[in-house]
């Protein structure tokens, strides 16, 4: 039970490690790709707005001084311009009044509350500025850009352009969904491959473990099958060499033991061996014949008691005591 639990634990760790590595890598790559994709589309929208304005609209509007007295001309220009682009266009004078617009619902109304007032004020300072916002009434994400309208060095108004970002964010949502689906497939493949790799690594280790268990039980005949020449294959090779040498060593020890036992059994002199605690560990046949002992009597017998039984006047203390000078 312990061995199988151990095996599944190692395999699980390898699979989880593969999974986490791929998951982290895909997450980082996915976030980076989404950010770059969004930045690319935003830059494209910004460049398109700037390019359309650079075609001469600002110079033409700059000749209408003041803007509020040329509403019809400005509106006609916006209508013609808007037919070629999708963005909303607003011309706002210095009083923050919408002079003309592609959105007829906002024409002749104040820009305050309808458009980004802070962005307009920055444009009145002669700066091209932009911001991302939301049309509150419809919850539509938009990009706002403001270009100053100048007559000479004087700012007489601003050109306010607003691009709908709904399609962009829908595209981004679709891209995120595709990315998540791709990540799910990749992670599934990773789990399968991780399981296969973990099994290929664990299988030879399990084989070495099983052979080690058999060796601990006295079976030195089995050998680990070497299927590769990597570190695991080298481990199996060394295990086989160790098993062969250990079997040879044990055989030599067994032969020497047998020789020693033969010598003890056949020697004419009696021999009794005891350990440091005085417990008898071996009595040869000659000693048992001399003392008229049986094998059962010598088992778990104390050397001191045996001496006291047959030689009452002789004890181990007197044997160990050195004679006085």
């Amino acid at each position: 039970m312990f061995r199988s639990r151990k095996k599944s634990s190692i395999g699980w760790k390898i699979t989880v490690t593969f999974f986490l590595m791929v998951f982290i890598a895909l997450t980082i790559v996915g976030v980076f790709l989404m950010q770059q994709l969004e930045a690319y589309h935003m830059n494209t929208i910004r460049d398109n707005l700037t390019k359309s304005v650079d075609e001469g609209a600002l110079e033409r509007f700059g000749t209408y001084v003041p803007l509020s007295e040329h509403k019809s001309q400005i509106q006609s220009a916006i209508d013609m311009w808007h037919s070629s682009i999708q963005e909303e266009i607003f011309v706002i004078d210095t009083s923050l009044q919408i002079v003309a617009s592609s959105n007829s619902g906002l024409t002749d109304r104040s820009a305050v509350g309808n458009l980004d007032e802070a962005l307009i004020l920055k444009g009145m300072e002669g700066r091209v500025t932009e911001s991302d916002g939301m049309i509150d009434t419809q919850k539509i994400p938009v990009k706002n850009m403001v270009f100053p309208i100048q007559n000479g060095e004087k700012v007489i108004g601003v050109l306010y352009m607003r691009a709908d970002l709904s399609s962009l964010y829908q595209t981004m949502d679709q891209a995120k969904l595709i990315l998540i689906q791709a990540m799910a497939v990749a992670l599934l493949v990773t789990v399968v491959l991780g399981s296969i790799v973990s099994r290929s690594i664990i299988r030879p280790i399990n084989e070495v473990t099983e052979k080690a268990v058999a060796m601990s039980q006295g079976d030195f005949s089995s050998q680990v099958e070497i299927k590769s020449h990597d570190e695991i294959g080298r481990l199996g090779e060394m295990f086989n060499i160790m098993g062969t040498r250990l079997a040879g060593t044990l055989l030599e020890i067994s032969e020497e033991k047998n020789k020693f036992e033969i010598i003890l059994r056949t020697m004419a002199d009696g021999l009794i061996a005891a350990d440091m605690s005085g417990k008898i560990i071996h009595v040869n046949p000659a000693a048992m014949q001399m003392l008229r002992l049986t094998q059962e009597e010598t088992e778990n017998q104390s050397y001191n008691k045996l001496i006291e039984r047959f030689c009452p006047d002789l004890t181990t203390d007197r044997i160990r005591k050195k004679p006085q000078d």
Side-chain angles (χ1 to χ4, degrees):
M1 173 188 277
F2 173 77
R3 186 165 66 250
S4 65
R5 184 166 62 248
K6 191 70 174 178
K7 290 190 292 186
S8 61
S9 175
I10 296 175
W12 174 250
K13 288 179 181 178
I14 294 175
T15 304
V16 170
T17 300
F18 267 73
F19 180 88
L20 291 177
M21 289 174 59
V22 175
F23 176 76
I24 293 173
L26 289 177
T27 301
I28 294 174
V29 172
V31 171
F32 176 77
L33 287 177
M34 289 297 101
Q35 290 178 345
Q36 293 299 312
L37 182 61
E38 184 175 356
Y40 170 78
H41 284 293
M42 286 294 187
N43 290 333
T44 301
I45 293 174
R46 183 187 303 108
D47 293 341
N48 290 337
L49 290 175
T50 303
K51 182 179 178 181
S52 63
V53 173
D54 289 342
E55 292 176 353
L58 290 178
E59 290 80 359
R60 185 165 59 254
F61 292 151
T63 61
Y64 299 140
V65 182
L67 294 174
S68 58
E69 295 182 3
H70 300 81
K71 292 182 179 181
S72 58
Q73 295 96 323
I74 297 173
Q75 186 64 51
S76 298
I78 288 177
D79 292 339
M80 293 180 59
W81 185 12
H82 186 257
S83 62
S84 61
I85 62 174
Q86 298 179 349
E87 291 76 17
E88 289 185 300
I89 307 170
F90 305 88
V91 175
I92 304 168
D93 60 15
T94 54
S95 64
L96 302 186
Q97 195 73 17
I98 300 176
V99 175
S101 171
S102 60
N103 187 341
S104 58
L106 295 179
T107 305
D108 293 329
R109 297 179 62 178
S110 175
V112 179
N114 293 304
L115 302 175
D116 191 335
E117 182 181 355
L119 193 66
I120 296 172
L121 293 177
K122 291 179 181 178
M124 292 295 180
E125 297 174 358
R127 295 183 293 170
V128 178
T129 56
E130 65 175 275
S131 69
D132 296 332
M134 183 82 66
I135 300 178
D136 295 334
T137 56
Q138 303 174 12
K139 303 298 180 182
I140 298 176
V142 293
K143 173 172 279 297
N144 305 305
M145 290 195 70
V146 169
F147 304 87
I149 300 175
Q150 294 179 299
N151 183 269
E153 297 294 329
K154 183 179 180 181
V155 178
I156 62 174
V158 296
L159 176 65
Y160 189 110
M161 302 191 69
R162 185 165 67 182
D164 188 351
L165 300 180
S166 298
S167 60
L168 169 61
Y169 285 112
Q170 289 176 358
T171 302
M172 294 297 299
D173 291 340
Q174 289 295 323
K176 291 176 182 178
L177 179 60
I178 294 173
L179 179 62
I180 292 174
Q181 292 174 344
M183 287 180 61
V185 174
L187 292 174
L188 179 61
V189 173
T190 299
V191 171
V192 175
L193 292 179
S195 300
I196 295 175
V197 171
S198 64
R199 289 178 183 176
S200 65
I201 295 174
I202 293 172
R203 187 179 295 112
I205 296 177
N206 290 337
E207 185 177 357
V208 172
T209 303
E210 291 172 359
K211 301 303 180 184
V213 172
M215 186 179 294
S216 67
Q217 297 173 352
D219 181 10
F220 298 96
S221 60
S222 59
Q223 295 284 307
V224 176
E225 184 180 357
I226 307 300
K227 299 180 181 179
S228 63
H229 298 285
D230 53 10
E231 290 79 0
I232 297 179
R234 184 64 176 168
L235 173 63
E237 183 179 350
M238 291 297 100
F239 185 86
N240 290 339
I241 294 174
M242 180 189 69
T244 301
R245 291 182 178 178
L246 184 58
T249 302
L250 292 177
L251 179 60
E252 292 177 1
I253 294 174
S254 178
E255 291 177 350
E256 294 297 326
K257 180 182 177 181
N258 292 335
K259 292 179 182 179
F260 183 70
E261 289 180 350
I262 291 173
I263 293 173
L264 292 179
R265 285 199 303 267
T266 58
M267 67 185 300
D269 297 330
L271 176 66
I272 299 175
D275 59 16
M276 297 300 295
S277 64
K279 180 181 178 181
I280 295 176
I281 57 177
H282 185 79
V283 179
N284 71 342
M288 286 192 292
Q289 184 177 2
M290 293 177 185
L291 299 175
R292 294 181 177 84
L293 294 173
T294 64
Q295 185 66 35
E296 291 75 11
E297 291 176 326
T298 61
E299 292 179 355
N300 299 321
Q301 182 67 269
S302 171
Y303 179 76
N304 290 336
K305 291 182 178 180
L306 188 65
I307 294 298
E308 292 175 357
R309 175 181 174 184
F310 293 95
C311 303
D313 298 331
L314 184 62
T315 62
T316 54
D317 293 337
R318 293 179 59 187
I319 293 174
R320 293 174 183 175
K321 185 177 181 181
K322 295 182 180 179
Q324 299 293 331
D325 292 336

